[in-house]
Amino acid sequence: MLRSYLKIAWRNLSKNKSFTIINIGGLALGMAVTLMIALWIEDELTFNDGFEHSDRIAQVLANRTFNGQTDTNWTMARPLEFVLRDQYSDNFDHIVMCKNWVPQYLEYNGKKISKTGNFMQRGAPEMLSLTMVGGEKDGLRDMNSIMLDESTAHALFGSENPIGKTIEINGEFGVRVSGVYSDLPYNSSFHGMRFLMPLERFIASREWARNVISDWGNHSFSLFVQIADNTTFSNVSSKIKNVEKDQHTEAQFNPELFLFPMKDWHLRSQFKGGKQAGGRITYVWLFGIIGVFVLLLACINFMNLSTARSEKRSKEVGIRKSIGSHRSQLIKQFLGESFLVVMFAFASALLLVHLSLDSFNDLAQKEISFPWHEPLFWVASSMFILLTALLAGSYPAMYLSSFKPVEVLKGTFRAGKNATTPRKVLVVFQFSVSMAFIIGTVIVAQQINHAKNRPSGYDKKGLVQLPVMSKEFAGKQDLFRDELLASGGITEMSTSSSPTTGVWSTWGGFVWEGQPDNFQVDMAWTWVSPEYVESLNLDIVHGRDFSRTMATDSMTILINRTAMDYMGLPDPVGKHIWFPTDNGPQFKMKIIGVVEDVIAQSPYEPVKQSIYAYDRANNASFYNLRLNPAHSTAENLASIEMVFKQHFPQLPFEYQFVDEEYGKKFASEERIGMLSGVFTGLAILISCLGLFGLASYVAEQRTKEIGIRKVLGASVFNVWKMLSNGFLKLIVLSSLIAIPISYYIMDGWLQEFTYRIILKWWIFALAMLGAIVITILTISFQAIKAARSNPIKSLRTE
Amino acid sequence: MLLQLNNIFKWVNSGGQRIFLLKDINLEVQEGEFISVMGPSGSGKSTLLNVIGMLDGFEEGEYTFLDEPVHSLKEKHRANLYKEYIGFVFQQYHLLDDLTVQENLEMPLLYKKIKGTERKAMVADMLDRFNIVGKKDLFPAQLSGGQQQLVGIARALISSPKLILADEPTGNLNSSQGEEIMALFKQLNDEGVTIIQVTHSEKNAAYGSRIINLLDGRMI
């Protein structure tokens, strides 16, 4: 019986080629999209699963309240560790204080490379379950040791055995390689941790770090823990909640500590007002929903085409029933057919996914590989096929098998109104979804463009920054600047303690004239050289720029436009700020000017109140170089590199284009936008395939009617209009459904951004117009073909 | 007795009016009979045949088939009954276009869940008996009308029914093909198969042992 079903299904499919291609093609596309999204979601959900203890690792975070606003910080004071070790050690398997993502120069045998890694305490390798390739796992025991990941070990040592060899760090001190571990996987929070050194090594080499050993006010470290087997995160969280508050007598920020479990790091890392508020998980949901909808669209195609063809199949149903088939047998047969179609579609979908996985990985910034070898994948795939076959096949199977043989065998059978109504509902659903996708994609693109077009406050083009955190750069900036200017490669150079595209430190605690009482100050603070404004092409709004020739300028600051409001100083130039000390306010600094706001952080948020202070010491982390517009970028870089090599022969020449760094701020949203754009395109394509098929059947069904109308004098245009009208009504109805829904959803999405577009009516009108145009183009081919056919032919048959 | 219809009424409601398709039909059919149903278009011949074939229901009356009360049987039970005992032959042949001659013949046996080897033997027998062995791998569209009807009858016969219902079996055939088919029916009847046919032609009706005349749903 099964063989017979499959045989007849196969013959049916091969006989109606266009139907089959539309059906299998549409389903394959839909399944490919769903499969791709499923792989993406799986990848997102298994983030950090590579760590053996991932269910017991957490980071300690603190909710601290400034001026009534609660922020969640990961920065911790050094002495917190000691309290936890002394009083709470029962709760933890590991307590690991950490200074993370520190770039360092590693040198061996004259070879010098720059790598980023962590300074962590001894339990780290065990906690992170590092896979050792060589050396010992307990490799942070000795203060002067370093553990390298495999690729860094290879870059430094080649085929040589690195264990026991000594590496020079920043030209400051030597450390012995104690272990080599496998590179951490890309889908983990510690991906890119190229080395591990003991935290004690970091503290020994930094004076400030030695000084804060008992300072609860300085938050410069992060703290990771692995809790004990017999307890839970929430248990431990409630125990340690007030540790910082209790120890820190001047705890003005009402700090509350809690554990942030590793499984949440990637997907639920946003906090609002001290509460966890989602994060990337939103996108996981979003894509999950898109995946389901795209699959639904493809299934609807199948349903509609199958029921539209019902007149053709009705005779078969009648015959089968008259020679003894039960309805249940017919249902099985039709389900078998949809199963067959879905099987073919799935095979094509696998091929599609296989072929496009590389480009998808590029687009999504993933390294997803196809899980061919995983039995679970095939189990899930079988379920997927079965589910899709049922979803797509059950309605047509029920519908087709319900025909009464007496009616259909008389030859007078016409699919009545009750068949076309569900079909119309399904088409409306399809187009509502497609249109909502169009609207969503357009709004995402608009929002990204909106933020991109926002004035950044400075001239990003032709600006290059050199990271200069190595000790070797200290004090060399003036000489370096003079020679660069002489080389003609640049027109100006400045230094700064934060990059132009970020805020590395904020500061509070200072006071000024007219400051409101109990005002908890929190401002971005950047040390800059006097040429900062010049090199960035910043506009001075009030007052004046720094000047090297005025000796008093070393105690002056510039503030940005936002800071005027924040500080409540409508006329700030000439006002002073002080730092409070035990001996009263000290270090008076004068505001000499106000500069235009610079977007250093999120382009979707307001600019933070900022202070640019004249850098008297060597606080430079970056050199900012304004390239000489008279030469090409390549020429400029060549002359800069020449000067660089003269001054720092042992250092690699590393530079970043500021406009590229700035562009990275949009990467996440752009990626989401691109992905949803692609999925939208596919969703529309699938819907159009279905519509195309449906239009061909409607035209075929009405061949006789068209023939009669033409004999009575209807023009091609009349017939085209008649056939298109029915569909257009459905599209208009779809817009009425899609527009309010997408407005609601997209408005919610936009609320996440402070700097956002206002939803305009024309976006929706445009989407509706677009859908109408697409519909007309899709169905016109069939409509015109039907309208041009010779009426004599269509009337002669029967 | 094969079947008995008692006071069968069938009607449809249209525009507030009750239109009778069958009115008070009383009919007894013995095994081995060859009945021809005649009457003008719209007199209810096909409806009567469909009711007898259990493809269509009725509003009032009693229908007993081999001592089973058809009017009170469940759909599935009824289907089992006609699957077992009744074969249909249609004016438009109604072969499954996507199946070959052989596969068309096999189909009723599949629905009766007959085993593969037995099925093959029965199909081979039938092909042999109707002299269409050479055509077994052809599709219906590749056959002439007469040949298609031959296959149609073979398919109706393959599950050895007690009753064959034929709705104008020669309606689409030319006269010589028609005569062939009628001769075949006669021969089948002689072999013991009960036949009820609907026909317009007096000549065809003459092959039968009894003629029923219908007018406006009523037997006259």
Side-chain angles (χ1 to χ4, degrees):
Chain A
M1 197 85 225
L2 188 69
R3 249 187 61 215
S4 159
Y5 285 161
L6 288 180
K7 195 158 58 189
I8 202 157
W10 171 252
R11 285 187 193 151
N12 231 313
L13 292 179
S14 47
K15 205 169 74 179
N16 302 290
K17 289 212 174 58
S18 60
F19 164 81
T20 307
I21 289 168
I22 289 176
N23 243 341
I24 292 184
L27 268 174
L29 267 181
M31 291 181 96
V33 170
T34 312
L35 209 57
M36 208 91 98
I37 289 177
L39 288 174
W40 185 86
I41 289 179
E42 205 253 356
D43 189 81
E44 289 284 323
L45 293 182
T46 55
F47 202 87
N48 278 341
D49 272 9
F51 297 108
E52 197 185 326
H53 309 298
S54 60
D55 53 335
R56 285 191 292 132
I57 297 175
Q59 184 170 13
V60 179
L61 301 188
N63 282 328
R64 300 189 179 113
T65 307
F66 300 83
N67 293 323
Q69 192 195 331
T70 304
D71 286 327
T72 302
N73 314 124
W74 52 267
T75 50
M76 294 295 135
R78 183 75 182 93
L80 174 63
E81 178 211 340
F82 310 129
V83 178
L84 292 189
R85 278 199 209 283
D86 283 354
Q87 299 169 23
Y88 299 92
S89 61
D90 290 355
N91 299 291
F92 302 106
D93 282 355
H94 293 291
I95 296 173
V96 177
M97 247 312 156
C98 170
K99 187 72 190 170
N100 42 4
W101 309 123
V102 189
Q104 302 279 285
Y105 290 100
L106 317 180
E107 185 182 5
Y108 175 73
N109 224 352
K111 195 173 197 177
K112 194 156 195 173
I113 54 176
S114 163
K115 292 286 169 191
T116 302
N118 291 354
F119 289 90
M120 295 179 96
Q121 287 179 316
R122 191 171 160 186
E126 197 58 51
M127 181 177 81
L128 300 179
S129 55
L130 296 181
T131 313
M132 300 308 294
V133 182
E136 50 175 334
K137 197 162 189 176
D138 190 14
L140 300 179
R141 197 178 51 230
D142 176 34
M143 188 175 114
N144 290 309
S145 55
I146 187 169
M147 298 170 81
L148 300 174
D149 79 353
E150 217 176 339
S151 52
T152 305
H154 188 77
L156 264 185
F157 293 96
S159 53
E160 221 178 306
N161 180 13
I163 305 299
K165 303 269 171 14
T166 299
I167 301 178
E168 195 74 14
I169 304 294
N170 296 341
E172 288 176 64
F173 51 84
V175 288
R176 200 182 60 88
V177 179
S178 58
V180 175
Y181 54 89
S182 297
D183 291 12
L184 286 152
Y186 89 99
N187 61 346
S188 79
S189 297
F190 288 92
H191 172 62
M193 184 179 78
R194 295 302 173 195
F195 62 80
L196 260 181
M197 278 192 269
L199 183 69
E200 293 70 25
R201 182 60 265 176
F202 178 85
I203 291 168
S205 62
R206 304 284 199 290
E207 194 188 345
W208 70 261
R210 288 197 296 274
N211 292 339
V212 299
I213 204 127
S214 56
D215 183 351
W216 283 92
N218 180 296
H219 305 124
S220 301
F221 300 90
S222 42
L223 182 58
F224 298 98
V225 297
Q226 180 181 331
I227 59 166
D229 280 332
N230 56 6
T231 188
T232 62
F233 290 125
S234 59
N235 248 336
V236 180
S237 287
S238 60
K239 281 187 195 161
I240 65 167
K241 183 176 169 191
N242 290 322
V243 172
E244 185 175 323
K245 203 186 328 191
D246 294 345
Q247 301 290 331
H248 188 21
T249 44
E250 297 147 55
Q252 47 181 338
F253 303 134
N254 187 31
E256 288 182 355
L257 302 182
F258 64 96
L259 297 183
F260 182 40
M262 188 180 228
K263 63 176 168 40
D264 285 356
W265 289 0
H266 181 61
L267 291 176
R268 295 178 184 82
S269 57
Q270 267 180 19
F271 289 89
K272 273 205 177 103
K275 295 260 180 327
Q276 220 167 342
R280 254 184 106 78
I281 190 75
T282 317
Y283 291 123
V284 172
W285 276 110
L286 178 75
F287 282 129
I289 289 168
I290 289 179
V292 169
F293 272 120
V294 169
L295 186 66
L296 267 181
L297 295 185
C299 287
I300 287 176
N301 277 356
F302 183 91
M303 294 183 208
N304 276 344
L305 292 179
S306 303
T307 55
R309 287 174 68 247
S310 61
E311 276 178 39
K312 290 198 160 179
R313 297 295 302 265
S314 64
K315 189 184 129 190
E316 182 190 334
V317 172
I319 296 170
R320 282 179 181 276
K321 281 197 170 177
S322 73
I323 58 177
S325 170
H326 287 306
R327 184 169 177 201
S328 60
Q329 285 168 313
L330 284 167
I331 291 177
K332 270 185 225 153
Q333 180 191 341
F334 288 121
L335 279 180
E337 272 175 42
S338 68
F339 185 72
L340 195 71
V341 169
V342 172
M343 285 280 277
F344 281 123
F346 184 73
S348 325
L350 281 186
L351 191 70
L352 276 176
V353 171
H354 181 67
L355 291 178
S356 54
L357 198 58
D358 284 345
S359 4
F360 179 73
N361 275 332
D362 277 352
L363 196 65
Q365 297 257 297
K366 291 271 184 198
E367 292 173 23
I368 297 169
S369 61
F370 213 95
W372 297 111
H373 307 298
E374 297 212 24
L376 196 68
F377 170 76
W378 294 107
V379 173
S381 295
S382 316
M383 297 291 289
F384 182 45
I385 292 173
L386 213 64
L387 203 78
T388 311
L390 280 177
L391 191 66
S394 35
Y395 168 61
M398 296 308 245
Y399 176 70
L400 289 173
S401 65
S402 71
F403 294 146
K404 294 224 157 50
V406 179
E407 288 167 30
V408 294
L409 291 182
K410 258 183 211 156
T412 54
F413 174 74
R414 288 260 154 211
K417 275 241 160 24
N418 44 354
T420 51
T421 310
R423 204 176 306 150
K424 280 179 186 163
V425 170
L426 291 174
V427 168
V428 167
F429 177 81
Q430 266 189 323
F431 267 80
S432 302
V433 171
S434 299
M435 214 174 315
F437 279 7
I438 297 179
I439 293 171
T441 308
V442 170
I443 290 175
V444 170
Q446 272 204 325
Q447 167 67 9
I448 293 170
N449 262 336
H450 181 62
K452 272 188 167 172
N453 291 335
R454 183 179 175 189
S456 59
Y458 64 103
D459 190 2
K460 301 183 290 286
K461 276 241 165 350
L463 192 60
V464 165
Q465 60 186 21
L466 313 184
V468 292
M469 278 146 294
S470 184
K471 276 247 163 96
E472 279 124 320
F473 289 103
K476 299 265 185 75
Q477 63 267 27
D478 288 348
L479 193 61
F480 187 56
R481 170 172 172 261
D482 290 344
E483 292 200 12
L484 277 182
L485 285 171
S487 79
I490 65 163
T491 56
E492 192 49 277
M493 175 191 129
S494 65
T495 71
S496 57
S497 61
S498 290
T500 321
T501 51
V503 172
W504 277 12
S505 67
T506 64
W507 214 337
F510 40 86
V511 294
W512 59 85
E513 299 145 284
Q515 184 183 27
D517 290 341
N518 293 325
F519 193 80
Q520 288 159 335
V521 185
D522 179 41
M523 294 179 79
W525 188 285
T526 311
W527 296 104
V528 299
S529 70
E531 295 80 19
Y532 189 68
V533 171
E534 183 67 29
S535 61
L536 260 64
N537 261 346
L538 269 176
D539 283 341
I540 302 268
V541 184
H542 297 294
R544 62 173 180 88
D545 195 1
F546 295 121
S547 164
R548 268 180 194 270
T549 53
M550 295 171 79
T552 49
D553 266 10
S554 64
M555 287 299 274
T556 58
I557 56 172
L558 296 172
I559 62 173
N560 70 354
R561 196 195 273 273
T562 305
M564 283 170 65
D565 282 344
Y566 179 79
M567 299 170 83
L569 300 174
D571 185 19
V573 177
K575 298 277 193 320
H576 294 89
I577 67 168
W578 291 268
F579 283 88
T581 67
D582 294 343
N583 309 321
Q586 291 257 318
F587 306 115
K588 184 165 111 177
M589 293 177 119
K590 186 170 141 192
I591 302 170
I592 56 163
V594 179
V595 294
E596 193 54 73
D597 285 343
V598 166
I599 299 175
Q601 292 170 304
S602 166
Y604 307 106
E605 298 301 322
V607 172
K608 193 174 177 73
Q609 53 281 359
S610 310
I611 288 178
Y612 302 97
Y614 194 110
D615 188 5
R616 297 179 303 279
N618 290 315
N619 287 314
S621 299
F622 287 92
Y623 290 170
N624 307 305
L625 312 182
R626 169 65 57 191
L627 299 184
N628 189 345
H631 306 300
S632 75
T633 306
E635 285 167 353
N636 283 331
L637 285 175
S639 30
I640 293 168
E641 184 169 9
M642 226 158 72
V643 178
F644 186 92
K645 284 289 172 205
Q646 281 165 20
H647 282 267
F648 314 106
Q650 67 281 46
L651 294 174
F653 178 54
E654 286 177 69
Y655 60 89
Q656 296 153 351
F657 289 103
V658 171
D659 50 356
E660 278 176 17
E661 293 297 306
Y662 189 81
K664 285 180 187 166
K665 295 179 185 301
F666 303 93
S668 168
E669 276 75 19
E670 265 184 333
R671 206 173 303 140
I672 299 293
M674 292 276 274
L675 279 177
S676 63
V678 168
F679 294 144
T680 302
L682 289 172
I684 293 167
L685 183 64
I686 291 169
S687 300
C688 285
L689 263 179
L691 200 61
F692 183 81
L694 212 51
S696 76
Y697 281 109
V698 169
E700 195 179 303
Q701 238 169 27
R702 295 173 75 169
T703 309
K704 194 172 172 188
E705 180 195 341
I706 293 167
I708 295 170
R709 282 176 188 270
K710 281 193 78 176
V711 169
L712 295 178
S715 67
V716 171
F717 177 71
N718 292 142
V719 175
W720 171 81
K721 213 170 77 180
M722 179 188 85
L723 288 174
S724 305
N725 246 341
F727 285 110
L728 278 185
K729 273 185 213 150
L730 299 183
I731 301 310
V732 173
L733 186 62
S734 307
S735 340
L736 294 181
I737 296 170
I739 287 172
I741 292 175
S742 50
Y743 177 87
Y744 177 76
I745 293 172
M746 293 318 289
D747 195 52
W749 179 74
L750 284 173
Q751 297 305 320
E752 282 182 28
F753 307 103
T754 311
Y755 186 80
R756 59 177 180 252
I757 52 165
I758 295 158
L759 290 178
K760 299 261 175 47
W761 64 270
W762 61 261
I763 297 174
F764 300 98
L766 202 71
M768 185 166 157
L769 194 73
I772 289 175
V773 169
I774 292 172
T775 311
I776 290 180
L777 288 179
T778 309
I779 57 186
S780 284
F781 175 77
Q782 299 292 353
I784 291 174
K785 201 173 102 184
R788 287 170 57 106
S789 63
N790 188 344
I792 306 302
K793 264 188 193 159
S794 54
L795 291 179
R796 194 169 46 201
T797 54
E798 280 296 295
Chain B
M1 190 176 58
L2 183 66
L3 64 92
Q4 186 173 25
L5 301 177
N6 288 330
N7 309 102
I8 296 287
F9 285 84
K10 181 171 175 61
W11 65 77
V12 289
N13 291 319
S14 171
Q17 272 194 320
R18 182 168 284 186
I19 298 170
F20 284 91
L21 303 177
L22 294 176
K23 247 187 211 164
D24 196 20
I25 301 288
N26 291 289
L27 178 65
E28 244 178 59
V29 179
Q30 306 294 333
E31 278 190 53
E33 277 197 277
F34 189 165
I35 299 173
S36 302
V37 182
M38 295 194 73
S41 285
S43 60
K45 307 183 296 291
S46 295
T47 308
L48 178 62
L49 207 66
N50 288 333
V51 166
I52 294 173
M54 303 175 212
L55 295 179
D56 213 347
F58 46 89
E59 267 67 36
E60 246 180 65
E62 290 176 347
Y63 174 16
T64 317
F65 188 90
L66 286 174
D67 300 329
E68 297 259 20
V70 175
H71 49 273
S72 54
L73 289 180
K74 287 237 166 57
E75 162 87 31
K76 191 157 180 168
H77 200 136
R78 204 150 52 204
N80 280 336
L81 203 60
Y82 76 70
K83 183 158 80 180
E84 187 70 30
Y85 298 111
I86 302 178
F88 292 91
V89 176
F90 303 97
Q91 179 178 359
Q92 298 93 339
Y93 332 126
H94 286 326
L95 300 177
L96 290 169
D97 298 335
D98 294 329
L99 297 182
T100 61
V101 167
Q102 180 172 237
E103 289 158 353
N104 261 294
L105 293 185
E106 201 177 2
M107 193 49 65
L109 302 178
L110 282 167
Y111 284 126
K112 284 179 88 172
K113 300 205 169 73
I114 288 170
K115 294 242 162 18
T117 44
E118 202 179 333
R119 215 162 59 213
K120 291 278 175 305
M122 290 166 81
V123 171
D125 269 359
M126 204 49 81
L127 288 169
D128 205 28
R129 177 166 167 198
F130 283 77
N131 255 331
I132 44 177
V133 180
K135 307 257 187 312
K136 72 178 164 66
D137 290 324
L138 296 182
F139 287 95
Q142 295 165 300
L143 301 175
S144 74
Q147 287 166 336
Q148 287 191 52
Q149 193 59 297
L150 220 51
V151 177
I153 295 169
R155 186 181 63 182
L157 275 178
I158 196 156
S159 49
S160 343
K162 285 189 180 303
L163 172 65
I164 284 198
L165 298 174
D167 195 348
E168 299 196 42
T170 60
N172 280 13
L173 303 177
N174 63 34
S175 55
S176 73
Q177 287 172 330
E179 272 169 37
E180 247 175 76
I181 295 295
M182 287 318 296
L184 180 60
F185 275 135
K186 182 79 194 132
Q187 186 195 335
L188 290 173
N189 183 241
D190 291 343
E191 290 167 14
V193 182
T194 313
I195 295 171
I196 303 178
Q197 67 161 345
V198 164
T199 183
H200 277 299
S201 135
E202 297 279 353
K203 195 171 140 205
N204 288 347
Y207 282 92
S209 52
R210 172 147 73 110
I211 293 177
I212 294 170
N213 279 302
L214 282 181
L215 186 65
D216 295 337
R218 205 184 273 281
M219 280 172 71
I220 50 173

